Amino acid sequence: MLKDITLGQFFPGTSPIHRLDPRVKLLLALIFIVVLFVINNLVAYIIMGVLLAVVVKISQIPLGLVLKGLKPIFVVVIITAILNIFYNTTGEVLWEWGFLRVTTNGIMLGIFMAIRIVYLIIGVAIILTYTTSPILLTDAVENVFSPFKRFGFPAHEIAMMMTIAIRFIPTLVEETEKIINAQKARGADFETGSILKRAKALVPILVPLFVSAFKRADELAIAMECRCYQGGENRTRMRVLQTSRIDYVAIVITVLVCAALVSMNFMEFGWRA
Amino acid sequence: MKIEIQNLTHTYGAGTPFVKNALDDVSITIEDHDFIGLIGHTGSGKSTLVQHLNGILKPTSGRILIDGRDMWDKNTNIREVRFKIGLVFQYPEHQLFEETVYRDIAFGPTNMGLSEEEIRERVLSAMEFVGLEQDLLDKSPFDLSGGQKRRVAIAGVIAMRPEVLVLDEPTAGLDPKARDDLLKQIKKYYKENRSTVIIVSHSMEDMAKTVDKIIVVKGGKIERFLPVGEIFADAESLSSMSLDIPTITKVFKKLKDRGVDIETNVYTVKYAYELMRSRLLGEVRQDA
Ligand SMILES: Nc1ncnc2c1ncn2[C@@H]1O[C@H](COP(=O)(O)OP(=O)(O)OP(=O)(O)O)[C@@H](O)[C@H]1O
Ligand SMILES: [Mg+2]
C-alpha cells in the first residue's frame, strides 16, 4: 500500500529526456510553469497537452505510471475546478441559486484550472522527477543557486540536505512496512475500532520508526565525519554537469513553442477565460 | 498443524519497472511437529516464503492450506492464524516500542485478549526461555545490548505460545556463544511444546546440528527438501549453490578421497567424535 506512492520517484532509462542536462531540465520546467499560467486560450492548452503527450512518449515512461501518479491528486483537481467555477461570475449566466452563480466564464476558468494542475503534475512531478535521478536534480539545484553563495546563501548545504532527505524516503517507507508487518505478526490490529483506538495502534509503529530514523541520522553523520566530509568550498565532483547539443535543441524548441503559445493570447480566436 | 503450500508464486512491484519474482511456483508440505531449517543464498526468497506462512504477505498466485483450510478464505480470521503461527522477523529488535521489557513481551499476549495473570505467567516463562534475567523486567528495551534486545523480541513471539514457531535468521549478528545458546533453546522449545519449528538460516553448520529436515531455496524455487542425513550426500551440488557444507563433513569427504575407508555421512562434530573413537578403540584392540 505504501509502495503505491510513485510520485517523486525516479525511473531509470536512456531516452533523450533522461539524457538532458538536469540544469536545463530545471530551467525548461520553470519556463513551462510560467507559460502554463500565462496562456489563456483553450486551443493553446490543447496544443500543449499534445506536446506533453509527445514528451511522455519520448521519455518512455509507461502510460500506466503517468495515470498512477495522477490518481492521488484527482480530488484536488475536482475541488479546485468547482471552486473556480463559482469564483468567476462574469459572462453569460447559465444557472443561479442564491449567491451561487454558474457562468460560461466560470466554467471556462474551472476547466482551465483543472488543466493547469494536471499539466503541472505531468510536466514537473512526472516528466521531470521520473526522468532525472535525485542526485542529478540536487546537483542542478546546487549549481543553479551557487552564484548566490557570495551573499552567504548555503547552496551546497541545502542541496546536500535535499539529497539525503530524498535518498531516505524509500528507506523509511520500507522500514515502516517492515515494522507494520512485525507488529501484525504479534496480532496488532490497525483496521478496526474507534478512531482513538486506531490512533493508539500507531504507537507500536511510530516509536520504532522514530528510534531508527534518529539512529540512522546519527550513524550517517558519524560516517560522513569519518570521511572528513566538509561543506562546499573547493569540492570537486565526480560527475561534472555538461550541456551538449541535445540540450540546446531542447531549449530552442521549448522557447519557440512557448512563444507561439503565449502569442495566441493576443489573437482573436479560440475560447478563453 | 499441517501447512500445505500449493503453487505459491510471489511477485514484488508488479506494474513498475522493478518487478521481481521472489517465489516461483513453490509447493511444499510441512507436517505437524516438523523441525525444519530453511537455507538459501541472500535474496533467494527465504524471508518472502516465511512471511506467507502467517499471512503477512498474500500470494500473487497459489494457495496456503492450514490443516486443510485456505488461509485466504473469507471465513478464516487472519489474526487467529497469526496467533497460531508465530513469526519472528529478521532483526526483530527493530520492532521494540514499549516502555518496559515486560510490556513489550506482553504486547502479543495482550492482543490475544488473555487475562492479566495468564499474561504475566507467559511473559515470565518466555523470558526464562530466552535466558533473560528477571531484573530486566522494568528496564526500557532501548537500554539493552543488541543481543538482549534480540532475546526480548523473540520472547515477544514465544509468549504467544504459537503452535508453529517461525524464526527468520534468529542468530544473525550474535556471538558464537549466544548463537549456540539460542539454537539450543529453540530446540528445547520444539521438544517441550510438541510444536512445529522452522528456522531460516545461512549456516549449514548450525542447521546440521539443530534441525531434522532441511529445505534449500534457490532463486525462488525449492531445490531440496530432505532429512539432514541425506542433504549432504551430494555435497558438490550444494557448493554449486554457494552453500557451505559443515567443515566436519568436508574433512570426512577428504579422508574418503584419500582412500581411507570411512563413512562420509557425518555432519556434527559430536557424531564424528563417536565414530573416530569407536574406530580407534576398535583398531587399538585389533593391534593388541
Ligand atoms: N519489499 C520488497 N520489494 C521488492 N522486492 C523485494 C522486497 N523484499 C524482497 N524483495 C526481493 O525479493 C527477493 C527475495 O528476497 P528475500 O528477502 O525473500 O530474500 P532472503 O532469502 O530472505 O535473503 P536474505 O538472506 O538476504 O535475508 C530479493 O531479490 C529481493 O530483492
Ligand atoms: Mg531474509
Side-chain angles (χ1 to χ4, degrees), chain B residues 47 90 168-169:
Chain B
S47 297
Q90 208 164 354
D168 195 347
E169 301 201 31

Side-chain angles (χ1 to χ4, degrees), chain B residues 89-161:
Chain B
F89 275 77
Q90 208 164 354
Y91 297 107
E93 52 273 27
H94 297 322
Q95 76 206 29
L96 302 175
F97 71 96
E98 270 290 6
E99 283 158 44
T100 65
V101 167
Y102 177 86
R103 285 175 58 177
D104 208 286
I105 299 176
F107 183 63
T110 309
N111 285 331
M112 294 170 83
L114 301 174
S115 72
E116 204 61 44
E117 305 95 77
E118 171 91 28
I119 292 176
R120 185 157 188 92
E121 191 269 313
R122 286 187 175 209
V123 171
L124 293 183
S125 83
M127 278 182 80
E128 193 184 320
F129 203 88
V130 294
L132 281 171
E133 308 293 333
Q134 299 273 320
D135 55 346
L136 295 178
L137 264 183
D138 294 319
K139 270 200 142 181
S140 159
F142 296 105
D143 291 342
L144 305 181
S145 79
Q148 287 172 322
K149 279 186 197 161
R150 174 79 53 90
R151 283 162 206 239
V152 173
I154 293 175
V157 173
I158 284 189
M160 304 193 323
R161 306 238 167 107

